[in-house]
Amino acid sequence: MNIFRLVADLLHLASIFILLLKIQQTKSCAGVSLKTQALYFVVFVTRYLDLFTHFYSVYNSLMKLFFIASSAYIVYLMWKPYRPTYSASTDTFRAEFLIVGAALLGLAFPDSWHILDILWSFSIYLEAVAILPQLFQMTRTGEAETITSHYVFALGAYRALYLMNWIYRYYTEGYMDVIAWVAGAVQTILYADFFYIYLTRVMRGRLFSLP
Amino acid sequence: STVSPTHDEL
C-alpha cells in the first residue's frame, strides 16, 4: 500500500458517499445514470469473486464487500424507491455495447484462461468505459447538479491516482499489470474533458454546464 | 492456473 493507492481508494469510497448523499438530500436521482451504476455493480461482482479464493487483507476484503453492497444498494434505490425521479429519457447510452465489447476483449485478452481471470479481465475492461453513460447523459442535458459533478470528479481523481500508484509500484516493487494499466489509462483519459470543465466551472462556484 | 496473486488492487 502506498499513499497514492490509499488516497485513490478513499476517493472511490467518498464518491459513493457523495452519490448516496445527493440522492438522499435531493430525494432524487435525477441526472444520475442508472446504466453506469448497473455497470459498476457488474464490474464489482465479476471482479471480486476472488473473495472466495484469495485473502489479501482485512482492508481489501472489507472494501470489496463495501463496493459490491453499495453498488447494489444504489441500483436498488434508483430502481425502486427513487424510480419516479430517474431521468430515463436522457440516460440513453447503449450500455449493452459496452458489455459486449468488454466481454469480447476479456475473451481475446484475458489475464489467463482461468474463468476467474477472464471475469477479472472483463471487469477491468468494463470499468474503463462504465462512466460513459453518465458522461453522455451530462452532455445530453448540458448540465449537472454540482453534487453529481463532485461525484464524477471524485471517481476521475481516484483513477488518476491509480496511474501514479502504478508508476510508484513499478519502481519500488517491479509491479506490472499491463491489462490494468492500459484499461486504467483509457479510463482516466475519458475524464480529461470533464476535469477541465469541472475545474473551470464548478470550482469557481458556477453551474456545471457544458458549452 | 490460479488467480494471479498480483490482483491485490481494488
Side-chain angles (χ1 to χ4, degrees):
Chain A
M1 183 57 74
N2 58 65
I3 189 74
F4 303 113
R5 196 169 145 200
L6 181 64
V7 175
D9 288 344
L10 294 179
L11 272 174
H12 195 182
L13 267 189
S15 74
I16 292 166
F17 284 116
I18 290 170
L19 184 61
L20 285 168
L21 199 72
K22 174 249 168 342
I23 295 174
Q24 204 171 46
Q25 278 197 344
T26 62
K27 293 188 171 48
S28 156
C29 60
V32 177
S33 168
L34 177 57
K35 295 185 177 186
T36 283
Q37 297 308 318
L39 289 177
Y40 281 136
F41 175 68
V42 173
V43 163
F44 294 138
V45 168
T46 51
R47 185 176 311 165
Y48 297 156
L49 289 170
D50 65 353
L51 273 169
F52 298 105
T53 61
H54 272 75
F55 176 77
Y56 298 99
S57 66
V58 172
Y59 167 84
N60 186 280
S61 297
L62 286 180
M63 291 289 262
K64 285 173 174 171
L65 289 171
F66 176 80
F67 287 132
I68 293 173
S70 61
S71 62
Y73 181 56
I74 289 166
V75 169
Y76 161 74
L77 286 180
M78 295 186 71
W79 193 261
K80 281 283 174 193
Y82 290 97
R83 181 88 178 184
T85 64
Y86 166 52
S87 349
S89 60
T90 51
D91 191 17
T92 50
F93 193 93
R94 301 292 296 273
E96 52 271 41
F97 289 141
L98 301 180
I99 293 187
V100 170
L104 291 176
L105 275 176
L107 287 170
F109 308 103
D111 195 53
S112 87
W113 288 104
H114 188 288
I115 180 68
L116 288 188
D117 275 349
I118 294 174
L119 287 170
W120 178 87
S121 307
F122 162 75
S123 82
I124 292 286
Y125 297 128
L126 187 60
E127 188 191 354
V129 292
I131 195 65
L132 282 176
Q134 179 66 58
L135 292 176
F136 180 76
Q137 186 177 30
M138 292 166 95
T139 313
R140 273 206 65 179
T141 54
E143 60 183 48
E145 287 172 46
T146 305
I147 196 160
T148 310
S149 310
H150 291 335
Y151 161 70
V152 179
F153 182 80
L155 265 182
Y158 135 68
R159 291 318 307 182
L161 280 168
Y162 253 87
L163 296 183
M164 300 176 74
N165 154 62
W166 290 325
I167 294 168
Y168 180 86
R169 290 191 78 178
Y170 176 75
Y171 285 110
T172 56
E173 308 165 31
Y175 170 87
M176 287 187 73
D177 195 333
V178 177
I179 289 177
W181 289 358
V182 172
V186 168
Q187 191 173 353
T188 311
I189 289 166
L190 294 182
Y191 287 91
D193 225 27
F194 172 85
F195 278 144
Y196 177 77
I197 298 165
Y198 180 87
L199 291 172
T200 54
R201 298 188 190 232
V202 178
M203 295 298 267
R204 289 183 196 159
R206 279 185 268 160
L207 183 70
F208 185 92
S209 63
L210 293 151
Chain B
S1 66
T2 57
V3 176
S4 161
T6 61
H7 291 171
D8 61 346
E9 294 182 343
L10 297 161

